[in-house]
Amino acid sequence: YWQTDAEHRLAEIGPVARQLVGAGIDQVLGRPRWQAFASGASDAEWAAHRADLQARRPFRGFEFAVRRPGQALRWVSISGVPKFDAKQQFIGYHGVGRDITLKKRAERLLLTRNEQLERLVAVRTAELEQNNRDLEAFARQLAHELRTPISQVVGLTDLLKSAAWERMADNEREWLR
């Protein structure tokens, strides 16, 4: 659970979030998220988030990193809705968040594995393309090598037909055909 004031400064965070932030709680409370966790999202992501807040729109699934010195990087996803007092004056946001570190690690692992697989597929594809080029070159060479003796056999057959066809037995004529 978390809560901000009208200037979007973190006013309260629940025990799970406190544990996540750890000893840096004093550096988080009283500051807007984009200052407390400036390196946790890109400038564009923070700008889009701030635009939602300025427009008083509810938001869902905003993700940012929480960096603590000497600790592993943690990821948080938060959702929130604007709060208004009895006079319908905006008084801040409140919402919930959850630790999505394992999800982010799994995503990173999947992306890494996917990149490795793409590289392996690219290498294998290049090998197969080279093998195909080699096979085509071999087939061309083989066709050339076979064409020469076959042409000689055909030429000799034509010569025999024209010179000795009438003197040949039926089975010899069949061989020539």
Side-chain angles (χ1 to χ4, degrees):
Y1 177 78
W2 57 268
Q3 196 168 209
T4 64
D5 62 16
E7 284 79 39
H8 308 295
R9 296 178 299 218
L10 286 165
E12 183 181 335
I13 61 174
V16 174
R18 284 179 182 272
Q19 181 182 5
L20 188 70
V21 173
I25 191 72
D26 294 335
Q27 297 169 348
V28 171
L29 289 177
R31 296 175 70 193
R33 266 186 294 280
W34 52 88
Q35 289 177 0
F37 306 106
S39 64
S42 69
D43 291 341
E45 290 167 325
W46 282 125
H49 180 61
R50 287 166 57 181
D52 283 340
L53 297 178
Q54 293 304 323
R56 313 283 191 260
R57 290 187 289 257
F59 63 91
R60 182 180 189 111
F62 179 70
E63 298 178 358
F64 62 94
V66 175
R67 290 175 169 75
R68 290 174 37 195
Q71 300 289 323
L73 180 70
R74 303 301 295 239
W75 283 89
V76 177
S77 175
I78 60 171
S79 299
V81 294
K83 294 187 315 180
F84 300 93
D85 65 13
K87 296 178 184 177
Q88 294 304 306
Q89 294 289 341
F90 174 72
I91 58 172
Y93 270 83
H94 65 139
V96 294
R98 62 187 177 103
D99 185 341
I100 59 167
T101 303
L102 291 177
K103 175 188 163 214
K104 287 295 197 177
R105 287 179 185 161
E107 285 174 358
R108 186 179 315 132
L109 180 62
L110 285 173
L111 287 173
T112 301
R113 297 287 191 228
N114 190 43
E115 290 169 359
Q116 291 172 344
L117 183 58
E118 286 177 357
R119 282 194 300 273
L120 289 172
V121 166
V123 166
R124 186 67 179 133
T125 299
E127 289 173 356
L128 289 172
E129 287 172 349
Q130 182 60 47
N131 288 343
N132 282 340
R133 286 190 295 273
D134 292 347
L135 186 57
E136 288 171 6
F138 175 73
R140 284 191 302 274
Q141 182 66 28
L142 182 61
H144 175 72
E145 292 295 326
L146 288 175
R147 222 179 342 240
T148 303
I150 289 176
S151 295
Q152 290 178 353
V153 169
V154 169
L156 181 59
T157 303
D158 290 341
L159 183 64
L160 281 172
K161 279 183 184 177
S162 64
W165 186 260
E166 297 302 324
R167 293 183 305 218
M168 293 181 159
D170 288 338
N171 65 337
E172 293 171 332
R173 288 181 186 161
E174 184 60 34
W175 295 341
L176 282 179
R177 279 192 210 109

